[in-house]
Amino acid sequence: SRTHSRAAAARLDLSGIYPPIATPFTAGEEVDHRKLEENLHKYAQMPFKGLVVQGSNGEYPYLTEEEQVEVVRAVRRALPPGKLLMAGSGCESTRATVQLTEKMAAAGADAVLVLTPCFYKGRMDGCALVQHYTKVADCSPVPVVLYNVPANTGLDLPLEAVVHLSQHPNIVGCKDSGGDITRIGLIVHKTQTQDFQVLAGSAGFLMAAYCVGAVGGVCALANVLGRELCELQRLCWLGRWEEARVLQQRLIEPNAAVTRKLGVPALKQAMEWFGFHGGACRSPLQPLTAAETEQLRREFASNGWL
Amino acid sequence: SRTHSRAAAARLDLSGIYPPIATPFTAGEEVDHRKLEENLHKYAQMPFKGLVVQGSNGEYPYLTEEEQVEVVRAVRRALPPGKLLMAGSGCESTRATVQLTEKMAAAGADAVLVLTPCFYKGRMDGCALVQHYTKVADCSPVPVVLYNVPANTGLDLPLEAVVHLSQHPNIVGCKDSGGDITRIGLIVHKTQTQDFQVLAGSAGFLMAAYCVGAVGGVCALANVLGRELCELQRLCWLGRWEEARVLQQRLIEPNAAVTRKLGVPALKQAMEWFGFHGGACRSPLQPLTAAETEQLRREFASNGWL
Amino acid sequence: SRTHSRAAAARLDLSGIYPPIATPFTAGEEVDHRKLEENLHKYAQMPFKGLVVQGSNGEYPYLTEEEQVEVVRAVRRALPPGKLLMAGSGCESTRATVQLTEKMAAAGADAVLVLTPCFYKGRMDGCALVQHYTKVADCSPVPVVLYNVPANTGLDLPLEAVVHLSQHPNIVGCKDSGGDITRIGLIVHKTQTQDFQVLAGSAGFLMAAYCVGAVGGVCALANVLGRELCELQRLCWLGRWEEARVLQQRLIEPNAAVTRKLGVPALKQAMEWFGFHGGACRSPLQPLTAAETEQLRREFASNGWL
Amino acid sequence: SRTHSRAAAARLDLSGIYPPIATPFTAGEEVDHRKLEENLHKYAQMPFKGLVVQGSNGEYPYLTEEEQVEVVRAVRRALPPGKLLMAGSGCESTRATVQLTEKMAAAGADAVLVLTPCFYKGRMDGCALVQHYTKVADCSPVPVVLYNVPANTGLDLPLEAVVHLSQHPNIVGCKDSGGDITRIGLIVHKTQTQDFQVLAGSAGFLMAAYCVGAVGGVCALANVLGRELCELQRLCWLGRWEEARVLQQRLIEPNAAVTRKLGVPALKQAMEWFGFHGGACRSPLQPLTAAETEQLRREFASNGWL
């Protein structure tokens, strides 16, 4: 099965746009599977490469493991053929990550997205992280994608560790949400002999990431403006940079609003405005205040989206 | 039961020294209950106020919930009458924290120590954290202690939130590991009408914390030099500050070594030198390198402890 | 003269409270020497150990070198016998620091307070800073006090560098404004054979600093509540810690307001309320907004000072 | 003269590559004008848009004002017609910045590059910085370029302040060294009606900056690999992105080595290898250690430059 996995890894083309899907809840904070399916039905008609399930925007730290796996199963059932399902499976301990990875694969994930463990930041040096990811990739039935999101974890996966891990046959790429375009360019450069694929972790620097060699993006904003992000990708792929720039620039402020500035509650509010089910977050995430909602609306409206 | 809990909270005196106990593992990374019991037997003979179980030094993020609760049960069985058992029960979501709090109480915890949720740092403002802790304290069968450890969480529980929460009848104190002595003094000052108890979260500033009004400490170093920390407390309580200072100063470097500098693997290594079972950590925590072990030894030896 | 300086250094007792004096300006932003003298006349009647001139609160980066030296001369003339004049003389380059140090000594400084150079932060490691301070101390006609203020410089003078420099015969102490009480305790511990004197750089942790072995404080708040800070020192020296704590606690919020929270404009505003000349700052420092002035007033009033 | 300046500002085209020139010193740490002229003679033969004098790489905080102005005069004399001379003139106070700006213009600067004042970080909000830059631009005989370098200043010029200032007729652009490509794209977007020109502050993200709308770069690495950076610019301007990417990628590591990682001493060492005069730095900047020199060599050699 390792051989099998390696062949699969070699084949797996990650290039394209992925929304890291939000998890709708009922008023009682239970996962709302009906609303989830309605969202999935709409996403199925967009030119996404696939979906990311149990990323940060899915409030995965607030779901039980059972809920996490059940959502992956539901997405698998709803996903049209040919679309990729990438599932988050990163836990703090290596053993828990291995186990959740196996469950995600069994539930239908085509690949897993593995967040850096971060609680003991001071000890999570390159050596510890290489051992962690190597063990996970050794055991995983599906290809592994590294996941670096320093704003949430307070930790930057060292570039040398990424380069080292890119040689593992079952590690096919990374999602980088830090927004350091120099780092993204250097990862592309130092892994160019490895067929290693870099995904931008945010829509704010998507065009620049394509420019320096990324192959796609996992973008919260794709939950809201999915077609527009796919169009941005198309323009970049065609080398129509002037048109791409105009579109990219109009996406920066809405993207910042639903990520860095106002977070998941804003993403879910914006989804409602654009025809999707967002709804409330689980506690302790609070709904937006009236002033924040107004700010959110302005960021979309002043760029011509509302 | 709320009434019962309030009365209990009113009675619960937290003052004193607590080791946040380490979790020994077997070579196969399973919880080693035999070694744990031997450590507990030794700790039972020290003048601790009680024990903290499932704090950061217990590698709780690496344990399953079942393991976490089972360790609490084991500690309860081993703990002499009159000693407090404070159990960590903080999770990212409010609902999970409520549930784990109930399990910890059922397993024998006298109080729970609730870490700040931190994954969505940008949204964890005072309002969100007040709502979180209020809900947890409303539901908890045992008194709640707030737990602030910015080095791990990347988040500082706002002082205004602490002051607000100090009015809740079932919130009896806080453990603060940030080391900002001005903040500790101000918490004492602003909660003085509430019978709110502040515990220092590290041995490095224990004497200074007593000086500005803290009532005790939850100190990793107490796993190693427990009697010495109890003696430091005794000197502070007796107002013998000159003697206290000499002892405090000799503890700063060993403490930094087993916490900020070298972390849990160093704590466990030092435990071995002083007659306790430390052993290895769970992955991805790595054992100390030879150079780090040497550095650790120097920090203890140069202060006269080895 | 080196021999002379060493003898002087050996004799120089820094223990006590110092206001780092503010610089009053006229409406046209010129140094207002008349108002300065009136402030100095009032300070002369307080039990200060001395005055710090050209510290951060004096807006020294906004003064020309000529203005800096002229203010030192004016303070020298006004200072009663037996009071120390400590003058800031830190510049970015070593050569400029040496030259300004000489000018300050010639203008009447009893000691110089030398800020860490910080523009090229990435290269200001322990080695560079030891060389810098050694050269300055070698050349200085008066004793040198190290000055660490990470909030302004973005740089923490490494503890090992402090310990190394404490052996220099012309370096007699340090002012530490970082507020890390563990670090202050450790500096005291590791320099105890050197007769090295540590001054707390802020009133917020003054009592705790005395507790762990500091000998005094250079405190912005002493421009406003000078007698109260001298009283706090007296209580600490007499071992009357309970009374000291009550006073210390009432000083934390006013101190934070005139330093970390609202800065020099707030210090100068508060000086006006307490009978001193503060006045405006030089541009680009802006006056407080109405809301900030109100906040400032509350911080003093709620602690019983207004 | 304001009218004159506005017309000049409207005319001034900043687009292109600028080395922020290093300042060679003699063994005695004096400015070495002979070596400086030899460097300038070589730079005159490269397709630079102009030179930046008294930027961070020129060790300007270590020069006296007289030295700073004298170097500008020397550069003016040596600069071929048609090349721009942009001179650093930022000081901490507004009044000193105005005065130095006037001196720089009198010494031959075509524009001034004005660093954010940063000592009182906590008070340098958008309002204070807008007032500072407005006053400087009102008074300046030559166009003003904003200069944001958070790695040195610990301060990020707020985006809203940049947008506001872009409307001033005598503020023609900004140099941004923070490397946040999303921010650069947004500045271009929000100032597009103002003919405001953005310069990348480092070679590491030069191609990405062109991609999102920057017009040029002020790059330390241009002191060493000037022709290559001009070639990268040419490829970007021609839309030959694939070739540009290959060249950009080979420049990232050498650039990081002479800036973020090893700083000005590394820049000066690399200049020696490539036929320019670098030499030593002024104290307290230390020369590279042998290990650092070796590391520096590797960063150039592994990318095919040595």
Side-chain angles (χ1 to χ4, degrees), chain A residues 201-208 219 221 229 248 251-253 255-256 259, chain D residues 181-183 185 212:
Chain A
S202 185
F205 52 89
L206 184 59
M207 178 196 184
C219 305
L221 190 62
L229 284 170
Q248 168 70 81
L251 296 169
I252 295 175
E253 289 181 303
N255 177 66
T259 56
Chain D
I181 200 70
T182 306
R183 173 181 158 98
V212 300

Side-chain angles (χ1 to χ4, degrees), chain A residues 14-23 36 39-58 71 75 79-80 83-88 113 147 175 199-203 206 210 216-230 233 255 258-259 267 271 276:
Chain A
L14 300 178
S15 60
I17 299 293
Y18 305 74
I21 63 167
T23 308
L36 174 63
N39 285 347
L40 294 172
H41 185 72
K42 285 172 185 158
Y43 291 150
Q45 296 155 49
M46 297 188 185
F48 292 136
K49 177 70 173 190
L51 300 181
V52 163
V53 191
Q54 308 311 348
S56 306
N57 293 287
V71 169
V75 172
L79 205 64
K83 303 267 175 160
L84 285 183
L85 195 169
M86 211 183 303
L113 190 59
Y147 182 10
K175 171 189 173 187
L199 299 171
S202 185
L206 184 59
Y210 278 123
V218 179
C219 305
L221 190 62
N223 281 289
V224 181
L225 296 174
R227 291 192 192 283
E228 290 73 10
L229 284 170
C230 292
Q233 167 200 248
N255 177 66
V258 301
T259 56
L267 178 67
M271 286 174 68
F276 303 95

Side-chain angles (χ1 to χ4, degrees), chain D residues 233-251:
Chain D
Q233 167 201 249
R234 198 181 65 90
L235 293 171
C236 292
W237 282 357
L238 294 172
R240 291 160 61 178
W241 296 102
E242 295 297 323
E243 291 161 88
R245 187 183 304 149
V246 172
L247 179 52
Q248 168 69 83
Q249 288 181 343
R250 292 174 58 210
L251 296 169

Side-chain angles (χ1 to χ4, degrees), chain A residues 51-56 60 65 68-69 72 85-91 97 100-105 109 111-115 145 147:
Chain A
L51 300 181
V52 163
V53 191
Q54 308 311 348
S56 306
Y60 84 86
E65 190 181 289
Q68 289 177 15
V69 174
V72 169
L85 195 169
M86 211 183 303
S89 69
C91 304
T97 306
L100 187 53
T101 294
E102 288 167 351
K103 288 181 189 174
M104 288 307 188
V112 286
L113 190 59
V114 181
L115 188 72
V145 178
Y147 182 10

Side-chain angles (χ1 to χ4, degrees), chain A residues 37-185:
Chain A
E37 277 171 37
E38 291 181 14
N39 285 347
L40 294 172
H41 185 72
K42 285 172 185 158
Y43 291 150
Q45 296 155 49
M46 297 188 185
F48 292 136
K49 177 70 173 190
L51 300 181
V52 163
V53 191
Q54 308 311 348
S56 306
N57 293 287
E59 292 169 74
Y60 84 86
Y62 292 175
L63 303 187
T64 65
E65 190 181 289
E66 291 69 29
E67 290 172 325
Q68 289 177 15
V69 174
E70 183 51 38
V71 169
V72 169
R73 275 197 210 98
V75 172
R76 179 78 280 168
R77 284 192 300 268
L79 205 64
K83 303 267 175 160
L84 285 183
L85 195 169
M86 211 183 303
S89 69
C91 304
E92 281 293 328
S93 79
T94 306
R95 55 164 55 197
T97 306
V98 166
Q99 288 166 14
L100 187 53
T101 294
E102 288 167 351
K103 288 181 189 174
M104 288 307 188
D110 297 306
V112 286
L113 190 59
V114 181
L115 188 72
T116 49
C118 62
F119 190 77
Y120 300 102
K121 292 179 189 15
R123 298 297 296 175
M124 290 300 105
D125 57 10
C127 171
L129 292 166
V130 163
Q131 294 230 21
H132 176 74
Y133 278 113
T134 299
K135 176 76 175 172
V136 172
D138 282 350
C139 298
S140 174
V142 294
V144 168
V145 178
L146 311 175
Y147 182 10
N148 187 49
V149 54
N152 285 355
T153 62
L155 189 82
D156 221 7
L157 181 58
L159 191 127
E160 294 71 21
V162 175
V163 173
H164 184 98
L165 290 165
S166 73
Q167 301 167 33
H168 192 291
N170 206 25
I171 297 180
V172 295
C174 71
K175 171 189 173 187
D176 202 294
S177 300
D180 180 346
I181 200 71
T182 306
R183 174 181 158 99
I184 290 176

Side-chain angles (χ1 to χ4, degrees), chain C residues 37 58 69 78 82 91 94 101 107 119 125 129 135 146 164 173 221 253 261 269 278 283 289:
Chain C
E37 276 171 39
V69 175
C91 303
T94 306
T101 295
F119 190 76
D125 57 10
L129 292 165
K135 175 76 176 175
L146 311 176
H164 183 97
L221 191 62
E253 289 181 303
K261 281 189 184 172
Q269 174 61 70
S283 302
T289 64

